[in-house]
Amino acid sequence: MSRRTTWEDNSCPIARAADIIAEPWTLLILRNATAGTTRFEDFRAQLGIADNVLTTRLAKLVERGLMTKLPYRDGGRTRHEYRLTKAGSDALPVLHALGAWGDAHTSSETAYGPMQLVHCACGELTRPGEKCDACGKALVRDDLAWRGSWLSEGEIPLADPVGW
């Protein structure tokens, strides 16, 4: 389903952001990319999304600068990986906020528990922010993982974005 109105040039930054990330599937694609998914086939399998919808969403994320498309060889064929850019990586606080809201206001019998943020440098749980709640060190994306996510109850390191 396509939206009839574009908010691309709207004076409100929330409307402009919603124009990019509020489409169905887009936040889930960003979530999976943050957890390290890069290949079309893996997005499709993990999300259960139709090929045409995934193709459209990935193209828009590349066009809007949230992901980049990198070629790789698969046998004799060139395919593409999709990696987060800095702009895509900067959506992490939005994903954390949605995860916290979802944990607080929704439930699921199949959930592994609340989605938690782990500071891998000290191994302790923390909250999104500038410093670790446990050790006080600066939180750097390379030292963060999600625990109790939709994929497993184990820890999933956050993927490094491309082009920083």
Side-chain angles (χ1 to χ4, degrees):
M1 174 163 66
S2 146
R3 202 175 50 235
R4 293 184 191 145
T5 303
T6 180
W7 300 314
E8 186 175 6
D9 294 322
N10 195 289
S11 61
C12 175
I14 295 170
R16 291 191 309 269
D19 191 61
I20 297 170
I21 65 173
E23 290 183 328
W25 296 106
T26 298
L27 285 166
L28 299 180
I29 292 168
L30 289 173
R31 175 201 67 187
N32 283 36
T34 298
T37 303
T38 60
R39 296 188 175 181
F40 186 95
E41 299 80 23
D42 295 333
F43 282 112
R44 181 180 57 207
Q46 292 169 5
L47 296 171
I49 185 173
D51 286 0
N52 63 326
V53 175
L54 181 56
T55 298
T56 300
R57 294 302 183 271
L58 287 170
K60 186 164 187 176
L61 287 167
V62 169
E63 175 188 321
R64 292 299 193 88
L66 277 76
M67 298 184 90
T68 189
K69 187 174 166 179
L70 302 169
Y72 73 94
R73 297 291 289 172
D74 183 16
R77 191 172 170 190
T78 299
R79 294 180 178 251
H80 292 91
E81 288 188 334
Y82 296 87
R83 304 263 178 128
L84 293 171
T85 62
K86 179 160 180 5
S89 176
D90 285 349
L92 184 59
V94 174
L95 297 175
H96 284 154
L98 285 170
W101 188 91
D103 280 336
H105 300 288
T106 67
S107 64
S108 169
E109 299 211 4
T110 61
Y112 291 106
M115 194 168 176
Q116 300 170 321
L117 187 63
V118 178
H119 183 218
C120 299
C122 72
E124 298 295 327
L125 296 178
T126 190
R127 291 172 293 163
E130 304 259 336
K131 295 184 178 184
C132 176
D133 294 336
C135 71
K137 291 184 181 176
L139 292 178
V140 180
R141 184 185 184 94
D142 294 349
D143 290 334
L144 296 174
W146 284 332
R147 182 185 297 160
S149 72
W150 72 104
L151 289 174
S152 76
E153 53 189 316
E155 292 179 9
I156 300 169
L158 302 189
D160 291 328
V162 171
W164 281 32

